[in-house]
Amino acid sequence: MPSETLEKDPILETDFVQEVIRQLRALDTFGARDGMSDHQLLERLLLTRERLREIPMVGTPDAEALTRLRVFYNALAALIERECGRMATPMIQVNAEGFGRVIVSVGKLLVLDRTLRDVHRFGFESLSRMKTEADKQLSVALNILGDHPKAAGI
Amino acid sequence: MPSETLEKDPILETDFVQEVIRQLRALDTFGARDGMSDHQLLERLLLTRERLREIPMVGTPDAEALTRLRVFYNALAALIERECGRMATPMIQVNAEGFGRVIVSVGKLLVLDRTLRDVHRFGFESLSRMKTEADKQLSVALNILGDHPKAAGI
């Protein structure tokens, strides 16, 4: 996706993508990417078909893959938190074979609980696909919250 | 604790310690400790005062510390599972500074959720102290289950 397209994309203004940008800046502990614009940061995050082709089918998740995973679920947790008004905490576990589990808890309730496979290949080829997946998972999480508000402490 | 004492200790017959032994054998993937008796295995697991003194105050959790942590919480999860009749899944996250979080979930309910500190020094000096702590945490977990059976799927 050329920068000009991404720069004008209205998706950049959505809560989810704004949160993704915040997470990307937060994970950049040493400020190595301070000079990058938001859309430069986002472009690095996307797993385009070309990049995906370069990743072996079987492998150990590298730092980039873990960043893609963390940014996605941290941003999703932040959105859940905003929607329900209670702290939503993500927790991610990945082993060297690229299998793992991600949860997001609100109070004593697991509003999200997913098994991860092929973490080294985790990613989205466009912001719109990432947002679609986030919206889907957000909606499931909010339904779970609606079903069990007491366990969530709401 | 000399072997003779441990060998005759009735605590060895408790569900918790039996489960600890099972977990120790399960984590021994390559069978390196197949030749060891139960009480030899348990002795290695204990963090006696002498051993604790050798561990620096600040440090990165090593494999032994992570084993002590996993065995304890896996055994606790197995006990929770036996009590409530539903699968109880532990999940442990530890960073290089020895901080982390452990949860045990039953259905969508977090029956245990603890912040970990100084994981490199995690351990118990005796089986009875380990069992006392396990009983305490088990009782809290069962209370949470009693309060939110629907979220746990019971």
Side-chain angles (χ1 to χ4, degrees):
Chain A
M1 195 188 286
S3 304
E4 305 80 48
T5 323
L6 189 52
E7 208 160 3
K8 288 172 193 157
D9 199 330
I11 206 169
L12 280 177
E13 302 306 319
T14 60
D15 282 351
F16 178 70
V17 177
Q18 285 295 311
E19 193 54 51
V20 164
I21 295 167
R22 227 187 316 272
Q23 291 299 330
L24 279 167
R25 300 249 177 236
L27 286 177
D28 180 28
T29 331
F30 298 108
R33 297 176 188 174
D34 277 358
M36 289 171 84
S37 70
D38 287 351
H39 76 270
Q40 279 173 321
L41 273 179
L42 289 169
E43 274 193 336
R44 281 183 59 116
L45 183 73
L46 294 179
L47 187 60
T48 56
R49 282 173 196 221
E50 294 72 39
R51 281 189 203 153
L52 187 58
R53 262 199 297 271
E54 288 163 17
I55 301 177
M57 290 302 290
V58 177
T60 300
D62 61 0
E64 299 264 310
L66 293 175
T67 298
R68 290 193 298 268
L69 187 71
R70 287 205 184 101
V71 163
F72 180 78
Y73 283 105
N74 286 357
L76 188 54
L79 250 63
I80 294 170
E81 183 163 323
R82 205 172 305 168
E83 289 286 333
C84 73
R86 288 257 311 161
M87 199 166 85
T89 320
M91 184 172 171
I92 297 173
Q93 189 183 55
V94 177
N95 71 12
E97 284 81 41
F99 285 81
R101 183 184 178 201
V102 54
I103 61 150
V104 177
S105 62
V106 176
K108 298 192 190 325
L109 187 66
L110 289 188
V111 298
L112 184 149
D113 186 358
R114 292 175 76 93
T115 300
L116 301 169
R117 273 182 206 86
D118 299 328
V119 166
H120 59 297
R121 295 168 66 83
F122 180 92
F124 299 93
E125 63 169 315
S126 68
L127 283 180
S128 92
R129 281 184 189 241
M130 195 188 327
K131 188 179 176 315
T132 303
E133 180 62 23
D135 284 344
K136 210 171 72 185
Q137 294 197 27
L138 176 63
S139 146
V140 174
L142 296 179
N143 275 335
I144 293 172
L145 268 166
D147 286 345
H148 308 284
K150 206 177 126 238
I154 293 176
Chain B
M1 196 189 287
S3 303
E4 304 80 48
T5 323
L6 189 50
E7 208 160 2
K8 290 172 192 159
D9 198 330
I11 205 169
L12 280 177
E13 301 307 319
T14 60
D15 283 351
F16 178 70
V17 176
Q18 285 296 311
E19 193 53 51
V20 163
I21 294 166
R22 226 188 316 273
Q23 291 298 329
L24 278 167
R25 300 250 178 234
L27 286 176
D28 179 26
T29 331
F30 299 107
R33 297 176 188 174
D34 277 358
M36 290 172 82
S37 70
D38 289 351
H39 75 270
Q40 279 173 320
L41 273 178
L42 290 169
E43 275 194 335
R44 280 184 60 115
L45 183 74
L46 295 179
L47 188 61
T48 55
R49 280 173 198 220
E50 294 71 41
R51 281 191 202 150
L52 187 59
R53 261 200 298 270
E54 287 163 17
I55 301 177
M57 290 303 290
V58 178
T60 301
D62 61 1
E64 300 265 309
L66 292 175
T67 298
R68 290 194 298 270
L69 187 69
R70 287 205 184 101
V71 163
F72 180 78
Y73 283 104
N74 286 358
L76 188 54
L79 251 63
I80 293 170
E81 183 163 321
R82 204 171 306 168
E83 289 286 334
C84 73
R86 290 258 310 162
M87 198 166 87
T89 320
M91 184 172 170
I92 296 174
Q93 188 182 55
V94 177
N95 71 11
E97 283 82 39
F99 285 82
R101 183 185 179 199
V102 54
I103 62 151
V104 177
S105 62
V106 177
K108 297 191 191 324
L109 187 65
L110 289 188
V111 297
L112 184 150
D113 186 358
R114 292 174 75 93
T115 301
L116 301 169
R117 275 183 206 87
D118 298 328
V119 165
H120 60 297
R121 296 168 65 83
F122 180 91
F124 299 93
E125 63 169 316
S126 69
L127 283 179
S128 93
R129 280 184 189 241
M130 198 191 323
K131 189 178 175 315
T132 303
E133 181 61 23
D135 285 344
K136 210 171 73 184
Q137 294 197 27
L138 176 64
S139 146
V140 174
L142 297 179
N143 275 336
I144 293 172
L145 268 166
D147 287 345
H148 309 283
K150 205 175 128 241
I154 293 177

